Amino acid sequence: MDARNGPGEAGPGWQFPLDLVPADREPLTERQAARWVWFFLALGIAARTVRFLLRFPLWEDEAFLSANLLDRGYAALMGPLDYDQVCPLGFLWVQLSLVQLLGFHELSLRLFSYLGGLGGLFLFRYVAGRFLKGSPLVVAMAIFAVAYPGVRYAAEAKPYGPDLFFSLALSAMAVAWWRRPAQRRWLWGIAALTPVAVGISFTSVFVAGGISLFAAWLLWKRRDRGGWVPWVVFNAALVGSFALLFVLSASNQSQATLQWMQDYWQEGFPPLTQPLKLVKWLAVTHSGDLLAYPFGGRRGGSTLTLICCVAGVVAICRRRQVSLLGFLLAPLGLTLVAAALHRYPYGQMVKFQIYLAPAFCLLAGAGAATLVLNAFGRFRPLVFLLGVLALFAVGTMARDFWFPSKSAWVMRSRDFARWFWVTAQFDGEVACLKTDLGLCFAPNDYQRGLSSMYRCNQRIYCPRIARGDPPQWDRVSEKWPLRCVEYRSMWRPYNQAAHDRWLAGMQKRYTLVGRERFLFAREDRKGRPPQEPDCLEVYKFVPISGPGGPS
């Protein structure tokens, strides 16, 4: 396989894009299909941009991770993370770099995911366009562009958006090599990209592993001896980068959280020793969150997508292109193996397998288009389907405009921070016990729990802390009182004796003239308030004589 192909020519054996719809049933011309594809690509860009620019308040999961960026440098991020977080070191370093460059706020924390979301749209257009054409390509592009998981995780400060981007980036390079196998620079490119992908996205291991297996099969089938050299380098880069990442950070992060994660992931582990439960588990998993494209959910919420994916598999098999299914589903098989070994969940939540979205959307698009056109064979049913998908994207944007937040509790938390930290600066000097004085009478409060949201919102919405300025102790007077703010959980262990000593020391120089408590009450799933909520204690002091700082 040393023959050279021109830049626009596919190598021998390349039989794509597929004619899944017979010519007499295909209602779209090539130009019409291209216009529809670009329409949905633009709609996908709009949906992601709207959600990003609306600046949703950070919700719990984002705050848990982002709080680790408040006071740490690059080296400190290699150690165990607060709030029981496990995250690729490369992603943490990218986030920290953006925060240092642009400041700590919702837009900077989500910028990397947003750019990856935009890039993913163009990469999917490339990958899908190599395998499909006509109506199946349009429907696949539409599903991917408007799918809620893709829109949501393109505007969250978590690594799930980059998971999807690097899945597509690796797949796009693999497709380019598959089309023109003599151009081995694509294999070398995959070898070079893999360490970066693995460093930023843990799940790139599954994608790269699937590509490795598929590439080995192609090299063996084609007897391409020269291709084994970059393949070996690629696998060495895959294993070496994952091992290095584990030594540098992942092992430190997982020591305290591995058992908790395995307990949390139980629903995503197949019951291999119980055949009947295994069959039920497979049915429930594949009709649940795993296939929530363009929407779906648990308890059979993604059954329609599952039917379309099965139809897509059947359509591809009828064209005798099992190799395409191997390429698309190899990472899925590796994920199932990892789940069987209790190392990573299979299904359970769509975010855990968002890197498989390209395969699911491509199969669902192929299946939906063939089902509609083979059943009806007219233009109107296809337009109706595309119209429903477009309206879904419009509805998602409208919903985001109407309620730009993950939940009412998250909105209340940010609204409080906006009110308290901004207005407090006009009525005295405000100092946080943790941030400004380095005092904490309940260390667990700042390693777990909702204090992460308090700290992140404080950094974003307290102008002085956002600038990195210390309190102006010399301004404290009877007319400009000092307010000391303490965040605490009512149900965690608290060093009351240390707190009393601090308060007694303060009262040697200040008079305590007021004390307020603001509750942070997050309802449970049934809407019931907590019995012991977190709270914000605010102590108001005026100096006994003359200005000065706290003792």
Side-chain angles (χ1 to χ4, degrees):
M1 298 299 299
D2 293 329
R4 298 291 174 180
N5 301 302
E9 299 174 358
W14 180 263
Q15 302 176 24
F16 305 101
L18 297 175
D19 290 313
L20 296 180
V21 179
D24 59 336
R25 293 181 181 272
E26 175 57 72
L28 300 179
T29 65
E30 184 176 348
R31 179 173 293 183
Q32 289 173 329
R35 289 175 178 173
W36 276 106
V37 166
W38 286 109
F39 167 76
F40 278 105
L41 193 148
L43 195 59
I45 292 174
R48 287 156 177 78
T49 302
V50 164
R51 192 175 181 98
F52 173 72
L53 293 180
L54 282 174
R55 261 181 109 158
F56 278 35
L58 297 178
W59 72 291
E60 295 96 312
D61 272 14
E62 291 180 288
F64 291 154
L65 186 61
S66 299
N68 288 279
L69 306 174
L70 293 172
D71 305 310
R72 295 184 185 226
Y74 293 97
L77 290 173
M78 296 182 186
L81 300 178
D82 294 332
Y83 303 99
D84 297 322
Q85 294 296 289
V86 175
C87 182
L89 183 61
F91 180 79
L92 292 170
W93 282 356
V94 170
Q95 293 291 88
L96 182 59
S97 299
L98 290 173
V99 165
Q100 291 182 346
L101 181 65
L102 303 174
F104 188 97
H105 49 75
E106 295 96 344
L107 294 181
S108 64
L109 291 168
R110 294 168 177 155
L111 180 61
F112 186 48
S113 294
Y114 169 67
L115 294 177
L118 298 187
L121 285 168
F122 291 93
L123 288 171
F124 183 82
R125 166 66 184 88
Y126 171 83
V127 172
R130 296 301 174 268
F131 296 128
L132 303 176
K133 65 179 181 179
S135 299
L137 171 61
V138 172
V139 178
M141 187 71 225
I143 293 174
F144 182 85
V146 308
Y148 179 70
V151 174
R152 171 182 171 179
Y153 293 111
E156 280 203 4
K158 296 286 283 186
Y160 306 118
D163 285 349
L164 178 55
F165 172 79
F166 282 105
S167 171
L168 281 162
L170 290 168
S171 298
M173 298 182 76
V175 169
W177 170 73
W178 186 8
R179 290 184 69 218
R180 293 186 280 272
Q183 297 182 4
R184 300 191 186 101
R185 66 174 181 269
W186 293 112
L187 270 182
W188 287 109
I190 296 174
L193 179 62
T194 294
V196 178
V198 172
I200 296 175
S201 164
F202 282 140
T203 58
S204 292
V205 171
F206 297 119
V207 179
I211 292 173
S212 173
L213 294 174
F214 183 77
W217 176 76
L218 280 183
L219 291 171
W220 173 80
K221 181 180 179 181
R222 292 169 173 168
R223 299 180 182 179
D224 183 3
R225 296 180 179 179
W228 287 107
V229 175
W231 182 86
V232 169
V233 175
F234 160 41
N235 282 271
L238 173 59
V239 174
S241 58
F242 185 76
L244 181 62
L245 181 65
F246 183 81
V247 171
L248 289 179
S249 66
S251 60
N252 298 325
Q253 297 173 10
S254 62
Q255 285 178 358
T257 59
L258 182 59
Q259 186 58 52
W260 178 86
M261 287 190 299
Q262 289 184 334
D263 293 339
Y264 179 66
W265 290 342
Q266 281 298 316
E267 292 183 18
F269 297 149
L272 298 177
T273 59
Q274 300 172 289
L276 292 180
K277 286 188 176 181
L278 177 61
V279 172
K280 179 181 178 180
W281 179 85
L282 289 170
V284 170
T285 298
H286 290 92
S287 61
D289 274 354
L290 179 67
L291 293 176
Y293 303 97
F295 54 85
R298 296 188 173 191
R299 300 180 180 87
S302 303
T303 301
L304 182 59
T305 306
L306 174 61
I307 293 172
C308 292
C309 285
V310 172
V313 170
V314 172
I316 292 172
C317 287
R318 286 180 175 176
R319 300 302 185 276
R320 298 181 180 181
Q321 294 298 330
V322 180
S323 58
L324 175 56
L325 296 179
F327 176 78
L328 294 175
L329 301 180
L332 185 71
L334 292 178
T335 305
L336 186 58
V337 171
L341 297 174
H342 289 205
R343 287 295 177 264
Y344 195 76
Y346 184 94
Q348 191 171 1
M349 292 186 179
V350 67
K351 62 184 180 181
F352 293 151
Q353 275 87 44
I354 195 170
Y355 57 94
L356 296 171
F360 295 147
C361 292
L362 193 149
L363 291 174
T370 54
L371 285 174
V372 168
L373 295 177
N374 287 332
F376 301 100
R378 296 191 297 272
F379 181 69
R380 289 182 180 178
L382 177 64
V383 173
F384 176 79
L385 173 61
L386 297 178
V388 169
L389 291 171
L391 285 176
F392 179 77
V394 173
T396 297
M397 287 186 279
R399 180 266 176 200
D400 290 346
F401 270 112
W402 179 258
F403 188 73
S405 178
K406 175 72 167 54
S407 67
W409 142 253
V410 173
M411 181 72 82
R412 289 199 306 269
S413 179
R414 185 177 71 173
D415 288 345
F416 174 82
R418 281 175 163 171
W419 166 77
F420 180 82
W421 294 110
V422 173
T423 59
Q425 66 180 329
F426 300 112
D427 192 32
E429 202 65 25
V430 181
C432 173
L433 265 67
K434 171 67 175 178
T435 305
D436 295 312
L437 305 181
L439 297 175
C440 180
F441 306 121
N444 286 338
D445 287 356
Y446 290 95
Q447 295 172 355
R448 296 177 177 85
L450 299 178
S451 64
S452 60
M453 295 182 64
Y454 161 74
R455 296 175 64 195
C456 289
N457 285 331
Q458 179 198 65
R459 177 66 64 87
I460 297 172
Y461 295 106
C462 178
R464 175 184 61 78
I465 292 179
R467 294 191 303 267
D469 297 337
Q472 298 183 45
W473 306 113
D474 57 345
R475 294 188 64 189
V476 177
S477 65
E478 187 173 351
K479 293 184 179 180
W480 192 259
L482 169 66
R483 286 182 173 83
C484 290
V485 182
E486 177 189 24
Y487 183 95
R488 60 172 295 190
S489 296
M490 304 297 288
W491 56 277
R492 285 198 174 92
Y494 186 77
N495 192 337
Q496 187 65 46
H499 168 271
D500 293 342
R501 288 193 296 270
W502 164 77
L503 189 58
M506 290 290 292
Q507 289 178 309
K508 292 179 180 179
R509 303 185 64 182
Y510 299 93
T511 300
L512 180 64
V513 296
R515 183 170 177 175
E516 294 180 280
R517 173 177 290 180
F518 301 94
L519 298 182
F520 279 73
R522 181 181 62 171
E523 305 90 342
D524 61 17
R525 292 183 178 180
K526 295 183 179 180
R528 298 172 300 190
Q531 295 181 353
E532 296 181 317
D534 292 2
C535 69
L536 209 66
E537 298 274 6
V538 182
Y539 304 86
K540 182 178 179 181
F541 299 97
V542 295
I544 295 175
S545 61
S551 57

